[in-house]
């Protein structure tokens, strides 16, 4: 009944081969009805379907019957899968509703605010059954309190926390703001309050007196006179005589100046000013420093230190004296002769990347090579353009292939140009500072896209802007020079600080002298 054909077992008289044919033959022998079904047309169709490839490679034999059959099979499966897919609904998000007054109050109660910011969170806890209410309590005639303005705190809010009614706190705040802006009151300012007697215990106590220091030279007092609140100004006398400290440099200028009483910020400004004229390493240990600092002393005893005003170094026969002088809106250090100097590099006029350098190049629009008298910075349309350094606007308007163009003249024969702007802010004759806005990036003129064409000239000749270091020398003359000399003479007439400060200076000088003595100094022999 079976034969071995080299590929497996096959049933005699049956077209199927291998194990599949043997299985069908066995079932046909055991079940006659199954055999008749196999011999019918239905069996032949099933056999052809079983022998066909249901998974057709759609990338091979494109256009054949098998390929179309595979395509129809794939489309049918996709259609069945699509009909069985669940319905997708958009997810709705519930936005947080704004809090009403009651909710805001509850959130404030549950929060934790430090004392430095007012500490007005929390609420009073209701009394328990262990508390026995009193039928009557004595009323204090007045209550003395002290309050402190916290960081970011409000003046009226501080008064309300102390027990002043909202209406009265707002009235007092308006009175104070008319004399000193409330924003000028520093955090940590202490206020002393006295609250008076009230008619009804449930009402807030009326404010009787309020006193605080509004400025270093001014104290404000609010008093209730004839039932009305009155504001009183109490000026505080202040001595603004500068503090002058001198001493020996020794082994370290910083340590010697600190030991003499010079604040750390003033020493840093001192070193920065002196280093403009002399190298710090070249200053000898026997050199003398001279520092004059802003100093204010109130009649109440408080002392307020300011910034450095004068810096001087005397090293043998060499003397360097630098005075801080305000030129326009900027403070600058000048020599005693009235000469000021600033060193550095030009500021980048726009936030962008360098797209074209200085030199000979092929013009992207004209199509031939020519000298590119500047550099190009790629930047987005509307990006701000600022002045590279201080100068005066000599031209602002349309300028041929430059489009919207601005030119600034600087000291020392220097000039800068800014081209292809979308909008010009600067005006002819206007004086601009370094970093001040003069226009916005655009693509006007001969331009293929938004960028800044930046030029620099020295005595009318174009130079490479990316490699220039500049030194600006400013000379005072006329009335400015006379005022400068007068201020210098007044500062130099200030007496050197004595007392403990002078003792510290001498002690520091002696210590430095001992530290610099050679350790192997020969001892003297007794006679």
């Amino acid at each position: 009944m079976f034969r071995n054909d080299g590929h497996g077992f096959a049933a005699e008289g049956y077209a199927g081969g291998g194990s599949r044919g043997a299985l069908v033959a066995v079932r046909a022998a055991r079940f006659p009805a199954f055999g008749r079904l196999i011999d019918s047309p239905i069996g032949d169709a099933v056999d052809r379907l079983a022998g066909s490839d249901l998974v057709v490679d759609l990338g091979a034999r494109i256009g054949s019957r098998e390929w179309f059959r595979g395509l129809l099979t794939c489309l049918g499966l996709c259609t069945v899968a699509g009909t069985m897919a669940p319905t997708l609904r958009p997810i709705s998000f519930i936005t947080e509703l704004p809090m009403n007054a009651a909710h805001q109050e509850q959130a404030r109660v549950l929060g934790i605010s430090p004392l430095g910011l007012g500490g007005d969170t929390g609420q009073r806890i209701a009394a328990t059954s262990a508390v026995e209410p009193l039928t009557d309590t004595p009323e204090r005639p007045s209550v003395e309190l002290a309050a402190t303005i916290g960081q970011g705190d409000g003046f009226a809010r501080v008064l309300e926390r102390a027990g002043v009614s909202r209406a009265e706190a707002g009235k007092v705040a308006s009175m104070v703001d008319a004399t000193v802006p409330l924003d000028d009151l520093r955090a940590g300012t202490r206020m002393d309050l006295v609250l008076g007697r009230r008619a009804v215990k449930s009402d807030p106590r009326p404010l009787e007196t309020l006193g605080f220091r509004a400025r270093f030279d001014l104290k404000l007092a609010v008093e209730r006179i004839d039932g009305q609140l009155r504001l009183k100004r109490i000026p505080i006398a202040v001595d603004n005589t500068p503090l002058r400290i001198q001493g020996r440099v020794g082994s370290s200028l910083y340590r010697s100046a600190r030991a003499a009483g010079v604040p750390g910020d003033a020493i840093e400004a001192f070193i920065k000013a002196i280093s403009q004229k002399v190298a710090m390493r070249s200053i000898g240990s026997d050199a003398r420093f001279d520092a004059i600092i802003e100093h204010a002393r109130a009649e109440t005893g408080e002392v307020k230190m300011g910034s450095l005003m004068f810096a001087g170094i005397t090293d043998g026969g060499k003397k360097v004296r630098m005075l801080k002088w305000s030129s326009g809106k900027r403070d600058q250090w000048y020599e005693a002769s009235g000469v000021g100097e600033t060193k550095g590099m030009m500021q980048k006029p726009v936030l962008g990347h360098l797209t074209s350098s200085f030199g000979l190049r092929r013009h992207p629009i004209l199509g031939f090579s020519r000298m590119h008298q500047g550099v190009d910075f790629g930047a987005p349309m509307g990006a701000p353009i600022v002045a590279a350094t201080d100068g005066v606007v000599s031209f602002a308007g349309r300028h041929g292939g430059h489009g919207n163009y601005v030119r600034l003249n600087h000291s020392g024969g220097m000039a800068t140009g800014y081209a292809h702007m979308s909008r010009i802010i600067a005006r002819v004759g206007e004086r601009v500072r370094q970093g001040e806005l003069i226009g916005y990036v655009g693509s006007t003129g001969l331009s293929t896209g938004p960028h800044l064409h930046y030029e620099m000239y020295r005595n009318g000749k174009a130079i490479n802007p990316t490699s220039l270091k500049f030194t600006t020398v400013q000379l005072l003359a006329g009335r400015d020079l006379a005022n400068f000399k007068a201020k210098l003479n007044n500062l130099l007439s200030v007496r050197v600080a004595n007392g403990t400060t002078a003792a510290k200076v001498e002690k520091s000088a002696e210590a430095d002298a001992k530290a610099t003595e050679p350790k192997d100094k020969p001892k003297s022999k007794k006679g």
Side-chain angles (χ1 to χ4, degrees):
M1 183 176 179
F2 299 98
R3 63 181 176 83
N4 193 342
D5 59 355
H7 294 284
F9 293 93
E12 292 287 345
Y14 186 72
S19 60
R20 176 178 171 277
L23 179 61
V24 172
V26 170
R27 289 183 178 179
R30 295 179 61 183
F31 303 100
F34 182 77
R36 290 193 297 272
L37 180 63
I38 292 298
D39 296 334
S40 66
I42 297 176
D44 296 338
V46 171
D47 187 64
R48 288 195 300 272
L49 180 63
S52 62
D53 189 5
L54 295 179
V55 181
V56 179
D57 185 6
L58 296 179
R61 296 181 298 171
I62 299 175
S64 61
R65 293 180 61 184
E66 290 80 2
W67 184 86
F68 280 107
R69 179 171 54 79
L71 179 62
L72 293 176
T73 304
C74 179
L75 294 177
L77 293 176
C78 292
T79 303
V80 173
T83 57
M84 299 176 63
T87 303
L88 299 179
R89 296 180 180 180
I91 301 175
S92 60
F93 296 92
I94 301 176
T95 59
E96 185 178 357
L97 298 176
M99 293 190 298
N100 54 26
H103 292 165
Q104 291 179 358
E105 179 64 19
Q106 187 66 21
R108 185 194 64 80
V109 167
L110 297 177
I112 299 177
S113 179
L115 294 177
L117 300 179
D120 59 346
T121 53
Q123 65 180 359
R124 294 180 179 274
I125 304 300
T128 63
S129 58
V131 178
E132 297 181 2
L134 299 177
T135 57
D136 189 18
T137 56
E139 181 73 3
R140 297 176 60 181
S142 63
V143 178
E144 297 182 0
L145 300 171
T148 304
I149 299 178
Q151 186 74 28
D153 209 348
F155 184 83
R157 190 174 181 83
V158 176
L159 297 180
E160 291 180 27
R161 287 200 304 267
V164 182
S165 65
R166 177 171 298 180
E168 203 164 67
K171 183 179 180 180
V172 174
S174 300
M175 296 169 58
V176 173
D177 188 53
T179 304
V180 177
L182 296 180
D183 294 338
D184 293 346
L185 300 179
R186 301 179 59 184
T189 300
R190 175 189 170 94
M191 298 190 298
D192 298 318
L193 304 91
V194 177
L195 304 181
R197 188 188 297 273
R198 53 190 172 183
V200 182
K201 293 183 179 180
S202 59
D203 294 341
R205 288 178 175 270
L207 178 65
E208 292 294 333
T209 61
L210 168 66
F212 64 97
R213 192 157 187 168
R215 290 198 309 257
F216 188 74
D217 60 346
L218 178 64
K219 183 178 180 180
L220 295 181
V222 178
E223 298 180 0
R224 187 177 295 275
I225 302 175
D226 298 333
Q228 298 294 328
L229 293 174
R230 308 290 184 185
L231 180 66
K232 182 181 179 181
R233 295 169 54 95
I234 306 175
I236 301 174
V238 177
D239 180 14
N240 292 311
T241 303
L243 178 65
R244 187 175 187 180
I245 301 176
Q246 294 180 349
R248 179 174 172 270
V249 172
S251 59
S252 172
L253 172 61
Y254 186 89
R255 288 197 295 267
S256 300
R258 286 292 290 159
V262 181
D265 295 341
I267 299 177
E268 293 178 3
F270 185 97
I271 296 175
K272 184 177 180 180
I274 293 298
S275 61
Q276 294 183 10
K277 293 299 176 185
V278 61
M280 300 304 297
R281 293 182 178 180
S282 64
I283 300 176
S285 59
D286 291 331
R288 304 285 297 182
F289 66 85
D290 188 0
I292 301 179
I293 311 161
E294 293 178 348
H295 180 265
R297 184 180 183 86
E299 62 177 349
T300 53
E302 294 85 2
V303 175
K304 183 179 179 182
M305 299 288 287
S307 59
L308 182 70
M309 305 173 66
F310 174 84
I313 284 287
T314 303
D315 189 2
K318 187 176 182 180
K319 183 180 293 186
V320 178
R321 295 186 299 177
M322 304 293 292
L323 175 66
K324 186 167 66 173
W325 182 258
S326 297
S327 179
K329 298 181 180 180
R330 178 180 300 177
D331 291 337
Q332 186 176 341
W333 287 97
Y334 285 79
E335 294 182 68
S337 58
V339 178
E341 183 176 289
T342 303
K343 295 182 178 180
M345 295 186 67
M346 293 284 186
Q347 180 177 342
K348 192 175 180 180
V350 68
L351 261 173
H353 57 283
L354 187 67
T355 58
S356 184
S357 57
F358 181 86
L360 190 66
R361 69 159 191 177
R362 183 179 179 85
H363 197 279
I365 296 179
L366 301 180
F368 57 86
S369 298
R370 71 172 187 177
M371 184 66 179
H372 187 223
Q373 295 184 346
V375 294
D376 292 341
F377 291 102
M381 179 71 73
I385 302 173
V386 299
T389 188
D390 300 350
V392 179
V393 181
S394 61
F395 181 87
R398 198 77 181 182
H399 189 262
H402 286 152
N404 292 332
Y405 179 75
V406 172
R407 181 158 178 159
L408 305 180
N409 289 338
H410 313 285
S411 60
M414 302 297 299
T416 53
Y418 313 80
H420 307 308
M421 291 186 179
S422 62
R423 182 184 171 194
I424 298 175
I425 301 299
R427 296 293 178 264
V428 176
E430 181 183 6
R431 181 176 296 275
V432 295
R433 295 290 182 184
Q434 185 180 40
E436 187 174 344
L437 181 68
I438 59 175
Y440 297 96
V441 170
S443 185
T444 56
L446 294 178
S447 172
T448 58
H451 72 285
L452 171 66
H453 174 74
Y454 174 53
E455 301 173 340
M456 185 172 292
Y457 298 90
R458 176 184 290 158
N459 298 325
K461 183 179 179 181
I463 59 176
N464 189 354
T466 60
S467 61
L468 179 72
K469 294 183 179 180
F470 72 93
T471 300
T472 303
V473 178
Q474 298 183 358
L475 300 176
L476 297 178
R479 184 179 296 274
D480 291 338
L481 182 59
N483 295 335
F484 176 84
K485 292 289 187 181
K487 181 179 179 180
L488 179 62
N489 294 331
N490 290 335
L491 290 179
L492 294 180
S493 63
V494 176
R495 298 180 58 184
V496 180
N498 52 13
T500 56
T501 304
K504 288 182 179 180
V505 174
E506 297 300 331
K507 187 175 181 180
S508 175
E510 292 178 1
D512 289 336
K514 291 181 180 179
T516 54
E517 288 181 357
K519 296 182 179 180
D520 56 349
K521 184 177 179 180
K523 298 181 179 180
S524 60
K525 297 181 180 180
K526 296 184 179 179

